[in-house]
Amino acid sequence: MKKQSRRSFLRSLVFKGDQRSGGPGHVLVCVFLRGGADTLNMIIPYGDDDYFKARPTLGIRTARRGEKADSDLARPVTDFYSFHPRMEPLIEPFKIGRLLIVQSVGSDNVSGSHFEAQDQMEHGESASARLTGGWLGRHLFCQENSRSSPFAAVSIGAAIPESLRGAPGATAINTMEEIRLDTGEARSESVRSGLAALYGAAPAPLGQAGIETLALLSKVETLGRSGYELSKPSREVSYPDSQIGRRLREVARIARAGIGLEIACVDMDNWDTHFFQGAADGQQASLISELSQALSAFDRDTEGIPGGVTTLVLTEFGRRTYENSSMGTDHGRGFALMALGDRIAGGRILGSWKGLKNMKGMDETALPVIGPGGLAVETDYRQVLAEVVRELLGNRRLDKVFPGLVYRPVGITC
């Protein structure tokens, strides 16, 4: 058996997975759409006639003023943009100012590789400067005077994402039921008593971390035994029975439990729609429906939580502006980022519109700024993340979180 440090051995007894870090306050939830989502068919520029020319079969018509909207018509939210028909659950959050869209967000990665683009974005870096760890990991690491919680950084799923690499600790779980003392065949009372005595005699910070962990585990168990029902939303909220619905419901449960959640990461897969993407219905429409229902339910479920909750929805890159011969879309560049919460200056779609004319057939190597037939990247994704870190999470050390970035706030917060 390999030698194991006393601290890591004790931590492995207490919980399955890695943990620690953070403190109470605002909760940030990062939803990553894996595969490169075609946000051009989610936030539709119906005011640009070239949209329909570039997408003769995938383009979605928008309901005109006074026209009764049916299930195949996009819903206008501004004089230029409309939401995909399956995004109807998000129209109300947009109208009341809780949902904001930032158009043409992206990185300077022109490889077209899912893995390279995802890694770069999760590391919070530019293509020319490789950084150690993820941007969320660096944020948590450089916080000062933060009261630690073993469940401050949580990933819902089987693995911890790259964005949390380098954090003082992060936990990957599927459900809150996994937040328990894992004693194997031993009696939990005896193990808990022994650990409490061991941690009580240990020097700080090991002893303090251990005692806090045991206290939090006891709190979760107490919640389950009391009238607090961990399995139900806090109010009349209905989540879709889908992966994204179940994962966001778990985040809401953890946030409501009051056990120190600060950061939560959630993935949603299968956005790589090269073939038979569909328009108002079909492959992508099903994903959009699941996402929109889940986000709407989550926003209502977490409204009023002390400190507030902000949800960011991003992807590694958008799709090409024109459809391909397989009735799908290929890898592009800029995408529309969504931000949702009570401290978001919503009801707006930020970013100027450069137009879609002359996008098809461009020389991909001659125009690296615009990239392979996609939207030009107008806003560096790091600027959005940096504003969230600074204004909502209260971390002024942007030089540590995003080294080399000259910070220019986008204006998403209020």
Side-chain angles (χ1 to χ4, degrees), residues 300-317:
R300 286 180 285 121
D301 198 10
T302 56
E303 190 174 1
I305 286 181
V309 178
T310 293
T311 305
L312 291 182
V313 183
L314 60 163
T315 188
E316 65 262 37
F317 46 64

Side-chain angles (χ1 to χ4, degrees), residues 30 45 108 212 264 270 276 279 290 314 350 402:
C30 294
D108 58 352
E212 288 178 353
N270 302 319
F276 304 107
E290 292 175 5
L314 60 163
L350 303 182
F402 300 104

